[in-house]
Amino acid sequence: MRVFISSVRRGLEEERDALPGLISAIGFEPIRFENFGASPTPSREACLEGVARADVYVLLLGPNYGHRFADTMQSPTHDEWVAATKRGIPRLVYVKNGVEVEPDQQALIDRIGNYGSGVFYDTFDSVAELQTKVAGALRSQAAAPSDLTFAPLSDEVNFEWRRGTDPHYRNAVEQATLEVHVQPVPATRRTTRQMHELADTFARRIRETGLVADDVGISAQRDTDSVSVAIPERQEKSRSWNDVRHAVITGVRANQSGQVSVFAQLPGDSLGSLFDQEASVEQIAECLRLVGALRLVTQERLAIAVGIDPTSSITIGIVANLPRNQASFGTRSNAPIRVEPDESVSQAALSTSSLEVSRLLARTISEKLR
């Protein structure tokens, strides 16, 4: 089990130096920036890659917030927290007692401990106490059984797809969009009152997941039976005609039927969109984890459907080979590809088991595309 240690070093020097040996002694692999050594990779990117490789994320919060990056307006530790949250890996948070906390750090602590969107954190007074608590929590994580379960669906689950329900959908001109839909089983409709409340809180819920930077404006749009938020693409400077389009989430929708949907742009370039089965596993998992972080589907059993629409400009390939000089599209029609479930899954599909579920979904999409 790989354990990423995240914190500002200043004010937590002893704690950071004490944890790697402890983690190694109990049989796990510690990951922290002090051990990265010389590398051509920028330090910030290397740390986020460390989070991406980790199985568990340990966050220490002391008195100092740290330097803010100009683009995210967040500290490195804050960026790492967001990355771990998006990945859906277990997050263990420890706050140091008896220190004077900077206002920005207190705001981060309050955000992490938010009852609706955060996690419960523990506190510590000494290095020895921290070591004892971290060791116990890591052993519990390692011993915990997988809570992902599958069960046959006894009744058909109806999904509301973008084509046919979204008045803004125009398949003739749009780039390929990945759709990920999550529906509680059995379906649980939201009341009119709940939809009104959701319209007032939906944008804040999305912002609290870390998906959208604080300086990016978003707002919820209420339709007859849904509430949606479009995620604006961050504009890159001096973008050329054949720059790579990265896989990014473009919108979130909550329906009165109980369904929650996430829409994402497939990677691509000037020659169209590209489906990379391996890369799509992480993209689908990110969408599932976002649904989990929004805490709108809280029932134990879920049905998950995925799709791609439109499909006429999609090729199968490898993201690392973008941008391309040529591409072969074959004779595929513009009909959407839809993968609907015959089994329900447990809540773990929206968090710790999102990658496992996504591998199954990505493989089925790949089979339908070929």
Side-chain angles (χ1 to χ4, degrees):
M1 189 167 72
R2 297 178 295 272
V3 182
F4 188 91
I5 304 168
S6 177
S7 78
V8 175
R9 182 164 181 81
R10 184 165 58 94
L12 291 169
E13 295 89 346
E14 289 186 60
E15 289 83 355
R16 286 190 64 87
D17 291 340
L19 285 185
L22 168 75
I23 292 170
S24 297
I26 59 178
F28 306 133
E29 177 187 345
I31 305 173
R32 62 173 190 157
F33 71 79
E34 290 94 335
N35 302 124
F36 288 167
S39 170
T41 305
S43 57
R44 177 189 188 185
E45 183 178 335
C47 287
L48 295 179
E49 288 177 357
V51 176
R53 291 189 292 111
D55 302 301
V56 177
Y57 173 85
V58 173
L59 174 61
L60 310 180
L61 295 170
N64 303 303
Y65 178 77
H67 168 75
R68 287 182 181 270
F69 289 115
D71 53 349
T72 65
M73 294 303 295
Q74 295 176 166
S75 69
T77 303
H78 196 157
D79 282 349
E80 291 160 7
W81 164 260
V82 170
T85 301
K86 287 183 177 179
R87 284 203 61 225
I89 59 176
R91 296 162 295 164
L92 306 174
V93 184
Y94 301 90
V95 178
K96 188 173 185 177
N97 287 326
V99 295
E100 185 176 348
V101 179
E102 294 178 345
D104 286 345
Q105 183 75 332
Q106 186 60 55
L108 177 59
I109 293 172
D110 293 342
R111 186 168 187 171
I112 288 172
N114 180 278
Y115 181 77
S117 61
V119 298
F120 290 111
Y121 59 76
D122 204 346
T123 61
F124 65 95
D125 293 294
S126 66
V127 173
E129 182 184 9
L130 175 66
Q131 287 180 305
T132 300
K133 290 185 173 182
V134 170
L138 292 178
R139 288 193 178 102
S140 296
Q141 284 291 331
S146 172
D147 53 0
L148 177 66
T149 59
F150 297 86
L153 286 169
S154 57
D155 297 308
E156 181 181 358
V157 179
N158 295 315
F159 291 93
E160 299 179 53
W161 297 88
R162 192 159 170 255
R163 184 188 294 211
T165 61
D166 186 344
H168 306 293
Y169 175 81
R170 296 176 299 160
N171 69 350
V173 298
E174 291 198 352
Q175 298 169 357
T177 295
L178 171 70
E179 305 181 37
V180 177
H181 306 292
V182 179
Q183 180 79 278
V185 177
T188 306
R189 287 185 61 83
R190 297 183 176 91
T191 65
T192 301
R193 176 188 59 79
Q194 289 173 324
M195 292 300 291
H196 282 304
E197 291 179 351
L198 186 56
D200 294 334
T201 63
F202 202 30
R204 175 178 57 78
R205 285 174 179 261
I206 291 172
R207 195 180 296 281
E208 286 176 346
T209 68
L211 176 65
V212 181
D214 290 341
D215 62 341
V216 176
I218 57 173
S219 60
Q221 178 178 336
R222 174 75 192 275
D223 292 322
T224 304
D225 59 355
S226 68
V227 177
S228 60
V229 170
I231 310 299
E233 182 179 3
R234 184 178 289 274
Q235 295 296 320
E236 300 178 10
K237 295 181 180 179
S238 63
R239 185 180 178 91
S240 65
W241 70 276
N242 200 32
D243 280 350
V244 175
R245 292 197 311 273
H246 298 288
V248 294
I249 291 174
T250 57
V252 188
R253 185 182 69 195
N255 291 72
Q256 191 158 14
S257 64
Q259 175 178 313
V260 177
S261 305
V262 179
F263 306 99
Q265 170 184 279
L266 289 180
D269 54 19
S270 63
L271 294 177
S273 300
L274 181 140
F275 179 82
D276 179 335
Q277 182 176 338
E278 289 302 315
S280 69
V281 171
E282 178 57 45
Q283 188 175 19
I284 295 171
E286 182 182 9
C287 295
L288 292 176
R289 291 190 293 260
L290 174 59
V291 175
L294 290 173
R295 299 173 185 257
L296 292 175
V297 184
T298 58
Q299 293 81 351
E300 176 54 31
R301 307 304 303 178
L302 318 168
I304 299 172
V306 297
I308 296 177
D309 188 17
T311 58
S312 58
S313 64
I314 294 178
T315 56
I316 297 174
I318 301 174
V319 169
N321 293 337
L322 294 174
R324 302 161 291 178
N325 295 320
Q326 60 181 4
S328 175
F329 296 98
T331 58
R332 185 179 296 114
S333 72
N334 205 34
I337 287 177
R338 293 174 178 173
V339 177
E340 300 201 35
D342 57 9
E343 291 181 303
S344 69
V345 295
S346 56
Q347 269 284 335
L350 304 184
S351 56
T352 54
S353 298
S354 58
L355 285 172
E356 183 178 346
V357 173
S358 297
R359 288 190 187 97
L360 301 173
L361 297 170
R363 183 174 65 186
T364 307
I365 291 176
S366 180
E367 292 169 351
K368 288 178 174 285
L369 273 172
R370 296 183 186 279

